Amino acid sequence: MISIEKSDGASEEEYDRRRRAQWLSGEARADGVARRDMLRLLAAAGAVSGIAGGASALGAPRAQAATGTAATATAAAAGIVKPLPADRFTIRGTNAETKFEALAGTPFHTPASHFFVRNHTATPSLDATTWRLRVWGDGLKDGKAHEFTLADLKRLPSTSRTAFVECAGNGRSFFTSQQGQSASGTAWTLGAIGNARWRGVRLSEVLRRAGVSRHAVDVMPRGLDAEYVTDDGTNLGKVRRPLPLAKALDDVILAYEMNGAPLPPDHGYPVRVLVPAWVGIASIKWVGDIEVSSKPLYSPWNTLFYRLFGEHYPPEGSAPLTHQTVKSAFELPWNAGIEAAATHHLTGRSWSATGAIARVDISTDGGTTWHRARLKDTPHRATWTRWTTPWHPRTPGPTTLLARATDTTGRTQPEATAHNAQGYLFDAVVRHAVTVV
Ligand SMILES: Nc1nc2c(c(=O)[nH]1)N[C@H]1C(S)=C(S)[C@@H](COP(=O)(O)O)O[C@H]1N2
Ligand SMILES: [Mo]
């Protein structure tokens, strides 16, 4: 039997320290990336703390102007298959951000037509009839690779779960527009999140059938999309990120349905990993294989990226990011014009990875006075909760709307988020500018 260690924050950090030491002493592999490259890249990553656009020196996706205002989509995002109408999406390089105002009136589960897309390269075209999931590695009892077809996975007991997928960089542009700090990476506002009903098979079920040994410590799902080459020409290989076995056996799903339909191509067809509550990068799309290892595994996605670097963090960065944070957004365009002397029903959504939303406080006067919003959904962890609040503005002119969520663990959105070079996990209250007309 496998003993499942509960994945609380402290043991994850301890675990990471141990695996890091093993890696540095040559006991663990960083698959596909030479150790000296990794050391060089890590050194560069450590050096960027607080420097404007500094992370582009290590070949991170180049910093885009973080203006905090939604640019109008003029071109399609290369590599995304579904339509991206300009009233629903803002194109950011190979990615498409959902406009929060376009979610007004949409259901609790985000339709695929409105769900943000984060692609390192491009959506691949895969044939579900020839697709196979290969589970392999020295963490399996017999050491042999096991293959599963889509039909095999569908024959196993299925499970359904509602969870958001949210990019670790969601809200990144507010480090610049609200806090005057730079951060490298896609300049998302708040729309790098979607909430869906996922159906599939538990990863634990598949790992059990493949025969996980007592010595397994990490599993690394890998996507079938193209290899990711940074701006400076470093090929980081296929998108992949290790998960500690404890998390893999806990609540991770190999999803083949989204909102009751086969996964759309852009969201991982035919099968994606779904890691509830964790940073979006953990939820590998178009999964083709999963390595099960008796040694800690590394990839650029848990060493160079998706750690916190900068003045508040050690040179090698924080432990790899796991949980997302708490955020709120109004379903309104930036600088919306709002009619004076009429009653409006402001709507929005709040979400947390650590607990259910307990309350949402709203200010319509730039933070001077606050009142509670009415929650429209039964709050759950790792999903969002829609809310509404009436507003009867009297005086024309500019004002700032704020929404501040608190979850059942007592975690509240702060006024500011400690800076990190790559702009991850922004959780501060966003100041949403509107004009009463
Ligand atoms: N294979 C693969 N998986 C991937 C990615 C990718 O580019 N390739 N992007 C990751 C990131 S950074 C995020 S935030 C989520 C986005 O999921 P979505 O495009 O379905 O919204 O997928 C993750 N899984
Ligand atoms: Mo992401």
Side-chain angles (χ1 to χ4, degrees), residues 36-390:
R36 80 177 133 37
D37 279 353
M38 192 73 92
L39 289 170
R40 177 179 60 80
L41 292 164
L42 268 174
V48 299
S49 39
I51 298 165
S56 58
L58 67 130
R62 203 177 294 288
Q64 298 172 7
T67 58
T69 55
T72 313
T74 50
I80 296 180
V81 170
K82 70 185 177 186
L84 301 170
D87 59 343
R88 264 181 232 163
F89 292 102
T90 304
I91 310 298
R92 304 194 186 279
T94 54
N95 317 296
E97 173 171 358
T98 302
K99 291 188 170 174
F100 245 91
E101 61 267 35
L103 291 179
T106 61
F108 176 67
H109 293 118
T110 316
S113 58
H114 290 66
F115 207 102
F116 88 105
V117 181
R118 167 42 175 144
N119 279 354
H120 280 74
T121 60
T123 297
S125 165
L126 301 176
D127 178 353
T129 59
T130 54
W131 176 87
R132 298 285 183 277
L133 174 68
R134 205 165 152 264
V135 181
W136 60 281
D138 70 1
L140 296 181
K141 279 184 204 147
D142 60 7
K144 287 204 208 87
H146 293 245
E147 285 201 348
F148 298 84
T149 64
L150 184 56
D152 290 337
L153 294 186
K154 287 186 173 173
R155 268 194 297 272
L156 296 176
S158 76
T159 183
S160 293
R161 146 133 211 197
T162 297
F164 58 66
V165 171
E166 183 186 20
C167 190
N170 195 24
R172 175 182 285 130
S173 67
F174 298 106
F175 277 107
T176 306
S177 61
Q178 273 191 195
Q179 303 189 178
Q181 298 159 326
S182 70
S184 63
T186 304
W188 305 110
T189 57
L190 287 170
I193 180 170
N195 187 55
R197 182 98 182 137
W198 308 97
R199 182 163 171 264
V201 54
R202 283 177 219 283
L203 177 55
S204 61
E205 180 75 30
V206 170
L207 291 176
R208 195 169 63 79
R209 277 164 201 265
V212 194
S213 91
R214 291 189 297 114
H215 306 291
V217 295
D218 272 355
V219 307
M220 179 138 72
R222 180 162 54 170
L224 290 165
D225 42 337
E227 295 180 338
Y228 176 62
V229 180
T230 64
D231 286 352
D232 75 357
T234 311
N235 185 341
L236 298 180
K238 300 276 194 187
V239 177
R240 63 202 187 282
R241 190 177 199 251
L243 281 170
L245 188 68
K247 179 67 176 175
L249 295 177
D250 182 10
D251 59 356
V252 178
I253 299 173
L254 291 169
Y256 44 73
E257 276 182 20
M258 176 182 179
N259 299 334
L263 283 186
D266 296 313
H267 299 291
Y269 180 84
V271 177
R272 85 177 297 167
V273 179
L274 198 281
V275 184
W278 278 30
V279 287
I281 185 62
S283 293
I284 295 294
K285 303 192 277 189
W286 315 295
V287 59
D289 71 284
I290 300 178
E291 176 175 4
V292 183
S293 173
S294 64
K295 303 241 169 66
L297 296 175
Y298 289 84
S299 90
W301 288 270
N302 74 336
T303 52
L304 287 178
F305 307 122
Y306 304 102
R307 287 177 185 244
L308 305 177
F309 293 102
E311 63 276 29
H312 304 293
Y313 301 98
E316 73 279 14
S318 68
L321 299 183
T322 58
H323 290 86
Q324 279 290 5
T325 176
V326 190
K327 288 194 192 69
S328 301
F330 287 92
E331 295 170 346
L332 273 181
W334 213 255
N335 293 317
I338 300 200
E339 204 189 322
T343 300
H344 302 273
H345 293 277
L346 298 177
T347 58
R349 297 165 192 233
S350 298
W351 58 96
S352 169
T354 49
I357 294 299
R359 60 185 290 172
V360 179
D361 295 286
I362 306 288
S363 174
T364 54
D365 57 9
T368 309
T369 61
W370 295 83
H371 60 271
R372 267 165 102 143
R374 186 171 70 78
L375 306 186
K376 294 198 286 185
D377 299 304
T378 306
H380 293 287
R381 189 179 75 92
T383 72
W384 58 25
T385 302
R386 292 172 296 173
W387 43 258
T388 180
T389 191

